[in-house]
Amino acid sequence: MVGRAAVDTLDAIVARRSTGRLTEPAPGGDDLTHILEAAAAAPDHGELRPFRFVVLEGEAKDAFGQVLADAYLHRCAALGAEPTEGQLAKERTKLGRAPLVLVVCAVHRHSEAIPWVEQFAAAAAAAQNALLAATSLGYGSMWRTGDVAYDARVKAALGLGEHDAVVGFLYLGTPHDGEAKPPRRPDLAGLVERWQPPPADPATPE
Ligand SMILES: Cc1cc2nc3c(=O)[nH]c(=O)nc-3n(C[C@H](O)[C@H](O)[C@H](O)COP(=O)(O)O)c2cc1C
């Protein structure tokens, strides 16, 4: 049980919306523990625990902005492109869009039985669990990726190897007044069908 009134799971699913800019308070203490435990409770074929969660907060988060800026410069150099001051500043400050960023990582486990796609799927489920737990506890959130998620230097700074992956940077905090988006009711049109066996071929003898 969580420490304070949590909203119903189905309500949290429709209430979860991406909020681009978040402010204090960030989840801390028991709330952050609940979010991390929700992430680690994701379905996980073979119980390989193919995920890791890196909390970026405070001065460490600011310092990680420099990692993102350096990675941008290296990507430009590799592509022979001229870096721009604007993009460099954006990379350096983008983590400032929320007071806490939770990096959800998929960690490749050697397994004969469980393919990487399933390990990545477990880590993605962990990310969604974290977002739903945060929503349920009253926080705003946004799952982001972009070039930085696939950059070898960024992965190395997070302690990931070349076979691991960043699943998402989860920005967590509190929406500014009036900035929370309304719940969404997805349109199911074209998304669902009921499978039926094909009609028997009359030419096929019984
Ligand atoms: C794997 C993944 C990566 C995402 N990366 C970004 C991103 O880099 N930038 C962004 O604006 N939104 C990103 N999103 C968020 C989606 O754009 C967002 O969920 C979508 O627009 C639907 O809006 P909602 O979250 O309010 O329902 C990402 C979502 C997922 C699942």
Side-chain angles (χ1 to χ4, degrees), residues 39 41 103 114 173 191:
V103 193
I114 318 294
L191 297 181

Side-chain angles (χ1 to χ4, degrees), residues 18 69 75 85 100 109 156 165 169-170 186 191-192:
S18 296
R75 284 200 302 280
E85 275 306 319
L100 188 150
R109 307 290 186 206
F169 291 84
L170 306 187
L191 297 181
V192 185

Side-chain angles (χ1 to χ4, degrees), residues 16-19 142-146 150 167-168 181 184:
R16 185 217 55 78
R17 297 298 313 274
S18 296
T19 306
M142 183 149 181
W143 181 337
R144 295 182 187 267
T145 49
Y150 310 105
V167 173
K181 294 182 193 162
R184 212 155 50 101

Side-chain angles (χ1 to χ4, degrees), residues 79-164:
L79 294 168
E82 194 61 38
T84 68
E85 275 306 319
Q87 189 61 35
L88 192 58
K90 190 173 171 190
E91 298 293 337
R92 199 179 291 121
T93 58
K94 60 171 47 164
L95 297 173
R97 294 178 291 198
L100 188 150
V101 178
L102 181 62
V103 193
V104 176
C105 309
V107 181
H108 185 271
R109 307 290 186 206
H110 178 75
S111 169
E112 299 290 330
I114 318 294
W116 168 239
V117 66
E118 295 194 12
Q119 297 181 33
F120 189 94
Q128 178 68 354
N129 271 9
L131 294 181
L132 293 181
T135 306
S136 180
L137 290 166
Y139 297 100
S141 63
M142 183 149 181
W143 181 337
R144 295 182 187 267
T145 49
D147 289 345
V148 293
Y150 310 105
D151 189 291
R153 282 183 169 75
V154 176
K155 285 169 57 176
L158 292 165
L160 300 176
E162 63 170 318
H163 299 300
D164 307 324

